[in-house]
PDB file of all heavy atoms in Angstrom:
ATOM      1  N   ILE O 434       0.827  -1.208   0.000  1.00  0.00           N
ATOM      2  CA  ILE O 434       0.000   0.000   0.000  1.00  0.00           C
ATOM      3  C   ILE O 434       0.861   1.259   0.000  1.00  0.00           C
ATOM      4  O   ILE O 434       0.564   2.239  -0.669  1.00  0.00           O
ATOM      5  CB  ILE O 434      -0.958  -0.005   1.208  1.00  0.00           C
ATOM      6  CG1 ILE O 434      -1.945  -1.173   1.078  1.00  0.00           C
ATOM      7  CG2 ILE O 434      -1.704   1.326   1.314  1.00  0.00           C
ATOM      8  CD1 ILE O 434      -2.797  -1.387   2.299  1.00  0.00           C
ATOM      9  N   GLY O 435       1.909   1.270   0.800  1.00  0.00           N
ATOM     10  CA  GLY O 435       2.868   2.360   0.750  1.00  0.00           C
ATOM     11  C   GLY O 435       2.520   3.596   1.540  1.00  0.00           C
ATOM     12  O   GLY O 435       3.131   4.643   1.340  1.00  0.00           O
ATOM     13  N   ASP O 436       1.516   3.519   2.442  1.00  0.00           N
ATOM     14  CA  ASP O 436       1.279   4.673   3.315  1.00  0.00           C
ATOM     15  C   ASP O 436       2.251   4.588   4.492  1.00  0.00           C
ATOM     16  O   ASP O 436       3.059   3.659   4.602  1.00  0.00           O
ATOM     17  CB  ASP O 436      -0.174   4.742   3.771  1.00  0.00           C
ATOM     18  CG  ASP O 436      -0.615   3.535   4.585  1.00  0.00           C
ATOM     19  OD1 ASP O 436       0.246   2.741   5.014  1.00  0.00           O
ATOM     20  OD2 ASP O 436      -1.839   3.374   4.794  1.00  0.00           O
ATOM     21  N   ALA O 437       2.188   5.570   5.391  1.00  0.00           N
ATOM     22  CA  ALA O 437       3.176   5.658   6.465  1.00  0.00           C
ATOM     23  C   ALA O 437       3.193   4.413   7.348  1.00  0.00           C
ATOM     24  O   ALA O 437       4.261   3.870   7.660  1.00  0.00           O
ATOM     25  CB  ALA O 437       2.899   6.901   7.312  1.00  0.00           C
ATOM     26  N   SER O 438       2.015   3.935   7.752  1.00  0.00           N
ATOM     27  CA  SER O 438       1.956   2.770   8.627  1.00  0.00           C
ATOM     28  C   SER O 438       2.478   1.526   7.926  1.00  0.00           C
ATOM     29  O   SER O 438       3.251   0.743   8.495  1.00  0.00           O
ATOM     30  CB  SER O 438       0.510   2.539   9.096  1.00  0.00           C
ATOM     31  OG  SER O 438       0.052   3.633   9.862  1.00  0.00           O
ATOM     32  N   ASP O 439       2.068   1.336   6.681  1.00  0.00           N
ATOM     33  CA  ASP O 439       2.522   0.171   5.911  1.00  0.00           C
ATOM     34  C   ASP O 439       4.028   0.216   5.708  1.00  0.00           C
ATOM     35  O   ASP O 439       4.715  -0.815   5.800  1.00  0.00           O
ATOM     36  CB  ASP O 439       1.802   0.142   4.562  1.00  0.00           C
ATOM     37  CG  ASP O 439       2.190  -1.065   3.722  1.00  0.00           C
ATOM     38  OD1 ASP O 439       2.034  -2.205   4.211  1.00  0.00           O
ATOM     39  OD2 ASP O 439       2.650  -0.881   2.587  1.00  0.00           O
ATOM     40  N   ASN O 440       4.569   1.397   5.441  1.00  0.00           N
ATOM     41  CA  ASN O 440       6.013   1.530   5.235  1.00  0.00           C
ATOM     42  C   ASN O 440       6.797   1.180   6.487  1.00  0.00           C
ATOM     43  O   ASN O 440       7.837   0.509   6.420  1.00  0.00           O
ATOM     44  CB  ASN O 440       6.356   2.954   4.786  1.00  0.00           C
ATOM     45  CG  ASN O 440       5.951   3.219   3.347  1.00  0.00           C
ATOM     46  OD1 ASN O 440       5.812   2.294   2.550  1.00  0.00           O
ATOM     47  ND2 ASN O 440       5.748   4.484   3.010  1.00  0.00           N
ATOM     48  N   LEU O 441       6.317   1.618   7.642  1.00  0.00           N
ATOM     49  CA  LEU O 441       7.003   1.307   8.893  1.00  0.00           C
ATOM     50  C   LEU O 441       6.913  -0.179   9.225  1.00  0.00           C
ATOM     51  O   LEU O 441       7.895  -0.792   9.647  1.00  0.00           O
ATOM     52  CB  LEU O 441       6.429   2.152  10.029  1.00  0.00           C
ATOM     53  CG  LEU O 441       6.790   3.640   9.974  1.00  0.00           C
ATOM     54  CD1 LEU O 441       5.908   4.445  10.927  1.00  0.00           C
ATOM     55  CD2 LEU O 441       8.264   3.850  10.320  1.00  0.00           C
ATOM     56  N   ASN O 442       5.739  -0.766   9.022  1.00  0.00           N
ATOM     57  CA  ASN O 442       5.582  -2.197   9.271  1.00  0.00           C
ATOM     58  C   ASN O 442       6.492  -3.010   8.347  1.00  0.00           C
ATOM     59  O   ASN O 442       7.114  -3.995   8.768  1.00  0.00           O
ATOM     60  CB  ASN O 442       4.124  -2.617   9.072  1.00  0.00           C
ATOM     61  CG  ASN O 442       3.224  -2.128  10.184  1.00  0.00           C
ATOM     62  OD1 ASN O 442       3.652  -1.961  11.318  1.00  0.00           O
ATOM     63  ND2 ASN O 442       1.964  -1.893   9.875  1.00  0.00           N
ATOM     64  N   PHE O 443       6.572  -2.603   7.063  1.00  0.00           N
ATOM     65  CA  PHE O 443       7.425  -3.284   6.097  1.00  0.00           C
ATOM     66  C   PHE O 443       8.897  -3.168   6.495  1.00  0.00           C
ATOM     67  O   PHE O 443       9.645  -4.158   6.462  1.00  0.00           O
ATOM     68  CB  PHE O 443       7.206  -2.681   4.705  1.00  0.00           C
ATOM     69  CG  PHE O 443       8.144  -3.207   3.655  1.00  0.00           C
ATOM     70  CD1 PHE O 443       7.871  -4.398   2.992  1.00  0.00           C
ATOM     71  CD2 PHE O 443       9.300  -2.495   3.319  1.00  0.00           C
ATOM     72  CE1 PHE O 443       8.742  -4.881   2.020  1.00  0.00           C
ATOM     73  CE2 PHE O 443      10.171  -2.979   2.348  1.00  0.00           C
ATOM     74  CZ  PHE O 443       9.894  -4.173   1.701  1.00  0.00           C
ATOM     75  N   ALA O 444       9.307  -1.968   6.864  1.00  0.00           N
ATOM     76  CA  ALA O 444      10.701  -1.744   7.249  1.00  0.00           C
ATOM     77  C   ALA O 444      11.086  -2.617   8.433  1.00  0.00           C
ATOM     78  O   ALA O 444      12.163  -3.229   8.451  1.00  0.00           O
ATOM     79  CB  ALA O 444      10.915  -0.264   7.575  1.00  0.00           C
ATOM     80  N   TYR O 445      10.203  -2.685   9.406  1.00  0.00           N
ATOM     81  CA  TYR O 445      10.503  -3.478  10.604  1.00  0.00           C
ATOM     82  C   TYR O 445      10.522  -4.968  10.282  1.00  0.00           C
ATOM     83  O   TYR O 445      11.428  -5.698  10.709  1.00  0.00           O
ATOM     84  CB  TYR O 445       9.458  -3.196  11.689  1.00  0.00           C
ATOM     85  CG  TYR O 445       9.803  -3.795  13.028  1.00  0.00           C
ATOM     86  CD1 TYR O 445      10.723  -3.162  13.852  1.00  0.00           C
ATOM     87  CD2 TYR O 445       9.210  -4.969  13.474  1.00  0.00           C
ATOM     88  CE1 TYR O 445      11.054  -3.695  15.098  1.00  0.00           C
ATOM     89  CE2 TYR O 445       9.535  -5.510  14.710  1.00  0.00           C
ATOM     90  CZ  TYR O 445      10.448  -4.870  15.514  1.00  0.00           C
ATOM     91  OH  TYR O 445      10.780  -5.405  16.741  1.00  0.00           O
ATOM     92  N   ALA O 446       9.552  -5.428   9.521  1.00  0.00           N
ATOM     93  CA  ALA O 446       9.459  -6.857   9.194  1.00  0.00           C
ATOM     94  C   ALA O 446      10.672  -7.331   8.408  1.00  0.00           C
ATOM     95  O   ALA O 446      11.093  -8.491   8.543  1.00  0.00           O
ATOM     96  CB  ALA O 446       8.180  -7.127   8.404  1.00  0.00           C
ATOM     97  N   ASN O 447      11.247  -6.451   7.599  1.00  0.00           N
ATOM     98  CA  ASN O 447      12.370  -6.841   6.751  1.00  0.00           C
ATOM     99  C   ASN O 447      13.733  -6.512   7.357  1.00  0.00           C
ATOM    100  O   ASN O 447      14.765  -6.724   6.710  1.00  0.00           O
ATOM    101  CB  ASN O 447      12.231  -6.192   5.381  1.00  0.00           C
ATOM    102  CG  ASN O 447      11.143  -6.841   4.543  1.00  0.00           C
ATOM    103  OD1 ASN O 447      11.369  -7.849   3.884  1.00  0.00           O
ATOM    104  ND2 ASN O 447       9.938  -6.277   4.606  1.00  0.00           N
ATOM    105  N   GLY O 448      13.724  -5.989   8.566  1.00  0.00           N
ATOM    106  CA  GLY O 448      14.977  -5.741   9.270  1.00  0.00           C
ATOM    107  C   GLY O 448      15.445  -7.003   9.965  1.00  0.00           C
ATOM    108  O   GLY O 448      14.769  -7.506  10.863  1.00  0.00           O
ATOM    109  N   LYS O 449      16.574  -7.522   9.553  1.00  0.00           N
ATOM    110  CA  LYS O 449      17.079  -8.779  10.091  1.00  0.00           C
ATOM    111  C   LYS O 449      18.182  -8.497  11.111  1.00  0.00           C
ATOM    112  O   LYS O 449      19.361  -8.380  10.781  1.00  0.00           O
ATOM    113  CB  LYS O 449      17.605  -9.671   8.966  1.00  0.00           C
ATOM    114  CG  LYS O 449      16.623  -9.876   7.810  1.00  0.00           C
ATOM    115  CD  LYS O 449      15.293 -10.464   8.275  1.00  0.00           C
ATOM    116  CE  LYS O 449      14.341 -10.673   7.097  1.00  0.00           C
ATOM    117  NZ  LYS O 449      12.992 -11.142   7.540  1.00  0.00           N
ATOM    118  N   ALA O 450      17.772  -8.356  12.351  1.00  0.00           N
ATOM    119  CA  ALA O 450      18.720  -8.100  13.430  1.00  0.00           C
ATOM    120  C   ALA O 450      18.020  -8.342  14.757  1.00  0.00           C
ATOM    121  O   ALA O 450      16.788  -8.393  14.826  1.00  0.00           O
ATOM    122  CB  ALA O 450      19.255  -6.669  13.361  1.00  0.00           C
ATOM    123  N   ASP O 451      18.806  -8.475  15.814  1.00  0.00           N
ATOM    124  CA  ASP O 451      18.220  -8.664  17.143  1.00  0.00           C
ATOM    125  C   ASP O 451      17.634  -7.362  17.678  1.00  0.00           C
ATOM    126  O   ASP O 451      16.628  -7.370  18.388  1.00  0.00           O
ATOM    127  CB  ASP O 451      19.277  -9.196  18.118  1.00  0.00           C
ATOM    128  CG  ASP O 451      19.753 -10.592  17.770  1.00  0.00           C
ATOM    129  OD1 ASP O 451      18.988 -11.333  17.115  1.00  0.00           O
ATOM    130  OD2 ASP O 451      20.889 -10.946  18.133  1.00  0.00           O
ATOM    131  N   PHE O 452      18.281  -6.231  17.331  1.00  0.00           N
ATOM    132  CA  PHE O 452      17.811  -4.917  17.773  1.00  0.00           C
ATOM    133  C   PHE O 452      17.697  -4.000  16.560  1.00  0.00           C
ATOM    134  O   PHE O 452      18.601  -3.945  15.721  1.00  0.00           O
ATOM    135  CB  PHE O 452      18.764  -4.316  18.804  1.00  0.00           C
ATOM    136  CG  PHE O 452      18.775  -5.055  20.117  1.00  0.00           C
ATOM    137  CD1 PHE O 452      19.665  -6.098  20.326  1.00  0.00           C
ATOM    138  CD2 PHE O 452      17.885  -4.721  21.123  1.00  0.00           C
ATOM    139  CE1 PHE O 452      19.667  -6.797  21.534  1.00  0.00           C
ATOM    140  CE2 PHE O 452      17.875  -5.412  22.326  1.00  0.00           C
ATOM    141  CZ  PHE O 452      18.767  -6.455  22.526  1.00  0.00           C
ATOM    142  N   ILE O 453      16.564  -3.281  16.477  1.00  0.00           N
ATOM    143  CA  ILE O 453      16.283  -2.437  15.316  1.00  0.00           C
ATOM    144  C   ILE O 453      15.875  -1.039  15.748  1.00  0.00           C
ATOM    145  O   ILE O 453      15.023  -0.871  16.629  1.00  0.00           O
ATOM    146  CB  ILE O 453      15.175  -3.058  14.452  1.00  0.00           C
ATOM    147  CG1 ILE O 453      15.666  -4.357  13.802  1.00  0.00           C
ATOM    148  CG2 ILE O 453      14.697  -2.080  13.378  1.00  0.00           C
ATOM    149  CD1 ILE O 453      14.618  -5.044  12.941  1.00  0.00           C
ATOM    150  N   THR O 454      16.471  -0.046  15.109  1.00  0.00           N
ATOM    151  CA  THR O 454      16.053   1.345  15.265  1.00  0.00           C
ATOM    152  C   THR O 454      15.451   1.801  13.944  1.00  0.00           C
ATOM    153  O   THR O 454      16.119   1.742  12.909  1.00  0.00           O
ATOM    154  CB  THR O 454      17.246   2.259  15.619  1.00  0.00           C
ATOM    155  OG1 THR O 454      17.910   1.755  16.784  1.00  0.00           O
ATOM    156  CG2 THR O 454      16.763   3.683  15.891  1.00  0.00           C
ATOM    157  N   LEU O 455      14.178   2.222  13.977  1.00  0.00           N
ATOM    158  CA  LEU O 455      13.512   2.734  12.785  1.00  0.00           C
ATOM    159  C   LEU O 455      13.722   4.241  12.712  1.00  0.00           C
ATOM    160  O   LEU O 455      13.248   4.985  13.572  1.00  0.00           O
ATOM    161  CB  LEU O 455      12.013   2.421  12.820  1.00  0.00           C
ATOM    162  CG  LEU O 455      11.598   0.970  12.605  1.00  0.00           C
ATOM    163  CD1 LEU O 455      10.078   0.836  12.709  1.00  0.00           C
ATOM    164  CD2 LEU O 455      12.077   0.448  11.263  1.00  0.00           C
ATOM    165  N   CYS O 456      14.430   4.690  11.697  1.00  0.00           N
ATOM    166  CA  CYS O 456      14.768   6.105  11.565  1.00  0.00           C
ATOM    167  C   CYS O 456      13.793   6.809  10.630  1.00  0.00           C
ATOM    168  O   CYS O 456      13.536   6.320   9.525  1.00  0.00           O
ATOM    169  CB  CYS O 456      16.180   6.262  11.002  1.00  0.00           C
ATOM    170  SG  CYS O 456      17.441   5.304  11.865  1.00  0.00           S
ATOM    171  N   HIS O 457      13.267   7.942  11.045  1.00  0.00           N
ATOM    172  CA  HIS O 457      12.442   8.771  10.183  1.00  0.00           C
ATOM    173  C   HIS O 457      13.354   9.713   9.407  1.00  0.00           C
ATOM    174  O   HIS O 457      14.262  10.321   9.985  1.00  0.00           O
ATOM    175  CB  HIS O 457      11.446   9.572  11.023  1.00  0.00           C
ATOM    176  CG  HIS O 457      10.497   8.713  11.794  1.00  0.00           C
ATOM    177  ND1 HIS O 457       9.422   9.226  12.480  1.00  0.00           N
ATOM    178  CD2 HIS O 457      10.450   7.373  12.009  1.00  0.00           C
ATOM    179  CE1 HIS O 457       8.754   8.246  13.063  1.00  0.00           C
ATOM    180  NE2 HIS O 457       9.365   7.119  12.801  1.00  0.00           N
ATOM    181  N   GLN O 458      13.117   9.881   8.144  1.00  0.00           N
ATOM    182  CA  GLN O 458      14.054  10.600   7.283  1.00  0.00           C
ATOM    183  C   GLN O 458      14.243  12.071   7.659  1.00  0.00           C
ATOM    184  O   GLN O 458      15.258  12.669   7.312  1.00  0.00           O
ATOM    185  CB  GLN O 458      13.596  10.505   5.834  1.00  0.00           C
ATOM    186  CG  GLN O 458      12.238  11.156   5.562  1.00  0.00           C
ATOM    187  CD  GLN O 458      11.750  10.942   4.143  1.00  0.00           C
ATOM    188  OE1 GLN O 458      12.452  10.377   3.318  1.00  0.00           O
ATOM    189  NE2 GLN O 458      10.540  11.403   3.852  1.00  0.00           N
ATOM    190  N   ASP O 459      13.312  12.649   8.382  1.00  0.00           N
ATOM    191  CA  ASP O 459      13.445  14.046   8.799  1.00  0.00           C
ATOM    192  C   ASP O 459      14.424  14.226   9.961  1.00  0.00           C
ATOM    193  O   ASP O 459      14.923  15.328  10.181  1.00  0.00           O
ATOM    194  CB  ASP O 459      12.091  14.612   9.251  1.00  0.00           C
ATOM    195  CG  ASP O 459      11.119  14.801   8.097  1.00  0.00           C
ATOM    196  OD1 ASP O 459      11.584  14.893   6.959  1.00  0.00           O
ATOM    197  OD2 ASP O 459       9.904  14.855   8.348  1.00  0.00           O
ATOM    198  N   ASP O 460      14.661  13.151  10.701  1.00  0.00           N
ATOM    199  CA  ASP O 460      15.358  13.263  11.977  1.00  0.00           C
ATOM    200  C   ASP O 460      16.821  12.827  11.865  1.00  0.00           C
ATOM    201  O   ASP O 460      17.233  12.215  10.885  1.00  0.00           O
ATOM    202  CB  ASP O 460      14.629  12.421  13.030  1.00  0.00           C
ATOM    203  CG  ASP O 460      13.152  12.798  13.142  1.00  0.00           C
ATOM    204  OD1 ASP O 460      12.829  13.987  12.964  1.00  0.00           O
ATOM    205  OD2 ASP O 460      12.336  11.892  13.385  1.00  0.00           O
ATOM    206  N   TYR O 461      17.605  13.121  12.893  1.00  0.00           N
ATOM    207  CA  TYR O 461      19.006  12.709  12.878  1.00  0.00           C
ATOM    208  C   TYR O 461      19.476  12.443  14.308  1.00  0.00           C
ATOM    209  O   TYR O 461      18.826  12.831  15.292  1.00  0.00           O
ATOM    210  CB  TYR O 461      19.885  13.748  12.184  1.00  0.00           C
ATOM    211  CG  TYR O 461      19.752  15.173  12.689  1.00  0.00           C
ATOM    212  CD1 TYR O 461      20.617  15.686  13.655  1.00  0.00           C
ATOM    213  CD2 TYR O 461      18.767  16.026  12.177  1.00  0.00           C
ATOM    214  CE1 TYR O 461      20.508  16.986  14.096  1.00  0.00           C
ATOM    215  CE2 TYR O 461      18.653  17.340  12.612  1.00  0.00           C
ATOM    216  CZ  TYR O 461      19.536  17.820  13.570  1.00  0.00           C
ATOM    217  OH  TYR O 461      19.413  19.106  14.021  1.00  0.00           O
ATOM    218  N   TYR O 462      20.619  11.752  14.416  1.00  0.00           N
ATOM    219  CA  TYR O 462      21.069  11.180  15.677  1.00  0.00           C
ATOM    220  C   TYR O 462      22.438  11.722  16.090  1.00  0.00           C
ATOM    221  O   TYR O 462      23.295  11.991  15.240  1.00  0.00           O
ATOM    222  CB  TYR O 462      21.156   9.652  15.557  1.00  0.00           C
ATOM    223  CG  TYR O 462      19.817   9.012  15.285  1.00  0.00           C
ATOM    224  CD1 TYR O 462      19.264   9.026  14.008  1.00  0.00           C
ATOM    225  CD2 TYR O 462      19.073   8.436  16.314  1.00  0.00           C
ATOM    226  CE1 TYR O 462      18.014   8.473  13.758  1.00  0.00           C
ATOM    227  CE2 TYR O 462      17.829   7.882  16.077  1.00  0.00           C
ATOM    228  CZ  TYR O 462      17.301   7.910  14.789  1.00  0.00           C
ATOM    229  OH  TYR O 462      16.058   7.365  14.548  1.00  0.00           O
ATOM    230  N   ALA O 463      22.625  11.853  17.401  1.00  0.00           N
ATOM    231  CA  ALA O 463      23.936  12.190  17.925  1.00  0.00           C
ATOM    232  C   ALA O 463      24.882  11.019  17.658  1.00  0.00           C
ATOM    233  O   ALA O 463      24.449   9.857  17.646  1.00  0.00           O
ATOM    234  CB  ALA O 463      23.849  12.453  19.433  1.00  0.00           C
ATOM    235  N   PRO O 464      26.165  11.277  17.446  1.00  0.00           N
ATOM    236  CA  PRO O 464      27.109  10.189  17.148  1.00  0.00           C
ATOM    237  C   PRO O 464      27.149   9.112  18.224  1.00  0.00           C
ATOM    238  O   PRO O 464      27.451   7.951  17.935  1.00  0.00           O
ATOM    239  CB  PRO O 464      28.460  10.912  17.048  1.00  0.00           C
ATOM    240  CG  PRO O 464      28.116  12.326  16.709  1.00  0.00           C
ATOM    241  CD  PRO O 464      26.814  12.602  17.406  1.00  0.00           C
ATOM    242  N   GLU O 465      26.795   9.472  19.454  1.00  0.00           N
ATOM    243  CA  GLU O 465      26.883   8.519  20.566  1.00  0.00           C
ATOM    244  C   GLU O 465      25.571   7.769  20.814  1.00  0.00           C
ATOM    245  O   GLU O 465      25.485   7.015  21.795  1.00  0.00           O
ATOM    246  CB  GLU O 465      27.281   9.260  21.862  1.00  0.00           C
ATOM    247  CG  GLU O 465      28.580  10.035  21.788  1.00  0.00           C
ATOM    248  CD  GLU O 465      28.406  11.426  21.155  1.00  0.00           C
ATOM    249  OE1 GLU O 465      27.248  11.861  21.000  1.00  0.00           O
ATOM    250  OE2 GLU O 465      29.429  12.048  20.827  1.00  0.00           O
ATOM    251  N   TYR O 466      24.560   7.988  19.958  1.00  0.00           N
ATOM    252  CA  TYR O 466      23.262   7.335  20.200  1.00  0.00           C
ATOM    253  C   TYR O 466      23.420   5.836  20.420  1.00  0.00           C
ATOM    254  O   TYR O 466      23.006   5.290  21.459  1.00  0.00           O
ATOM    255  CB  TYR O 466      22.318   7.596  19.018  1.00  0.00           C
ATOM    256  CG  TYR O 466      21.042   6.766  19.086  1.00  0.00           C
ATOM    257  CD1 TYR O 466      19.931   7.201  19.805  1.00  0.00           C
ATOM    258  CD2 TYR O 466      20.956   5.522  18.450  1.00  0.00           C
ATOM    259  CE1 TYR O 466      18.776   6.427  19.889  1.00  0.00           C
ATOM    260  CE2 TYR O 466      19.801   4.745  18.526  1.00  0.00           C
ATOM    261  CZ  TYR O 466      18.723   5.203  19.251  1.00  0.00           C
ATOM    262  OH  TYR O 466      17.585   4.427  19.331  1.00  0.00           O
ATOM    263  N   LEU O 467      24.008   5.144  19.481  1.00  0.00           N
ATOM    264  CA  LEU O 467      24.093   3.681  19.581  1.00  0.00           C
ATOM    265  C   LEU O 467      25.059   3.246  20.672  1.00  0.00           C
ATOM    266  O   LEU O 467      24.881   2.180  21.269  1.00  0.00           O
ATOM    267  CB  LEU O 467      24.497   3.074  18.238  1.00  0.00           C
ATOM    268  CG  LEU O 467      24.388   1.557  18.131  1.00  0.00           C
ATOM    269  CD1 LEU O 467      22.993   1.069  18.514  1.00  0.00           C
ATOM    270  CD2 LEU O 467      24.748   1.087  16.723  1.00  0.00           C
ATOM    271  N   GLU O 468      26.048   4.067  20.963  1.00  0.00           N
ATOM    272  CA  GLU O 468      26.975   3.755  22.054  1.00  0.00           C
ATOM    273  C   GLU O 468      26.220   3.662  23.380  1.00  0.00           C
ATOM    274  O   GLU O 468      26.404   2.705  24.150  1.00  0.00           O
ATOM    275  CB  GLU O 468      28.053   4.836  22.127  1.00  0.00           C
ATOM    276  CG  GLU O 468      29.097   4.609  23.216  1.00  0.00           C
ATOM    277  CD  GLU O 468      30.153   5.696  23.233  1.00  0.00           C
ATOM    278  OE1 GLU O 468      30.380   6.329  22.167  1.00  0.00           O
ATOM    279  OE2 GLU O 468      30.750   5.926  24.298  1.00  0.00           O
ATOM    280  N   TYR O 469      25.360   4.628  23.637  1.00  0.00           N
ATOM    281  CA  TYR O 469      24.577   4.602  24.879  1.00  0.00           C
ATOM    282  C   TYR O 469      23.548   3.473  24.859  1.00  0.00           C
ATOM    283  O   TYR O 469      23.323   2.815  25.885  1.00  0.00           O
ATOM    284  CB  TYR O 469      23.874   5.949  25.082  1.00  0.00           C
ATOM    285  CG  TYR O 469      24.747   6.995  25.713  1.00  0.00           C
ATOM    286  CD1 TYR O 469      25.442   7.923  24.936  1.00  0.00           C
ATOM    287  CD2 TYR O 469      24.893   7.068  27.099  1.00  0.00           C
ATOM    288  CE1 TYR O 469      26.250   8.887  25.508  1.00  0.00           C
ATOM    289  CE2 TYR O 469      25.695   8.031  27.689  1.00  0.00           C
ATOM    290  CZ  TYR O 469      26.378   8.938  26.889  1.00  0.00           C
ATOM    291  OH  TYR O 469      27.176   9.884  27.473  1.00  0.00           O
ATOM    292  N   VAL O 470      22.924   3.248  23.720  1.00  0.00           N
ATOM    293  CA  VAL O 470      21.948   2.158  23.620  1.00  0.00           C
ATOM    294  C   VAL O 470      22.623   0.812  23.847  1.00  0.00           C
ATOM    295  O   VAL O 470      22.105  -0.045  24.576  1.00  0.00           O
ATOM    296  CB  VAL O 470      21.235   2.192  22.255  1.00  0.00           C
ATOM    297  CG1 VAL O 470      20.418   0.921  22.026  1.00  0.00           C
ATOM    298  CG2 VAL O 470      20.323   3.412  22.157  1.00  0.00           C
ATOM    299  N   SER O 471      23.789   0.617  23.252  1.00  0.00           N
ATOM    300  CA  SER O 471      24.523  -0.644  23.414  1.00  0.00           C
ATOM    301  C   SER O 471      24.885  -0.895  24.868  1.00  0.00           C
ATOM    302  O   SER O 471      24.757  -2.018  25.374  1.00  0.00           O
ATOM    303  CB  SER O 471      25.796  -0.628  22.559  1.00  0.00           C
ATOM    304  OG  SER O 471      25.502  -0.461  21.193  1.00  0.00           O
TER     305      SER O 471
END
């Protein structure tokens, strides 16, 4: 379908990892984001 909800569900379903961060294209992250999360 390609609307916002479908796109997020698709992105998550196709992410192959134990931990997933879904990034919105408007936003951005501090360099240490994943360091603190890890």
Side-chain angles (χ1 to χ4, degrees):
I434 296 172
D436 62 13
S438 297
D439 182 56
N440 286 337
L441 289 166
N442 288 331
F443 174 84
Y445 189 79
N447 286 276
K449 309 303 181 185
D451 294 335
F452 292 90
I453 293 179
T454 305
L455 288 179
C456 309
H457 298 188
Q458 63 185 355
D459 290 338
D460 305 326
Y461 52 95
Y462 297 78
E465 303 83 13
Y466 170 86
L467 190 54
E468 181 179 335
Y469 277 95
V470 169
S471 300

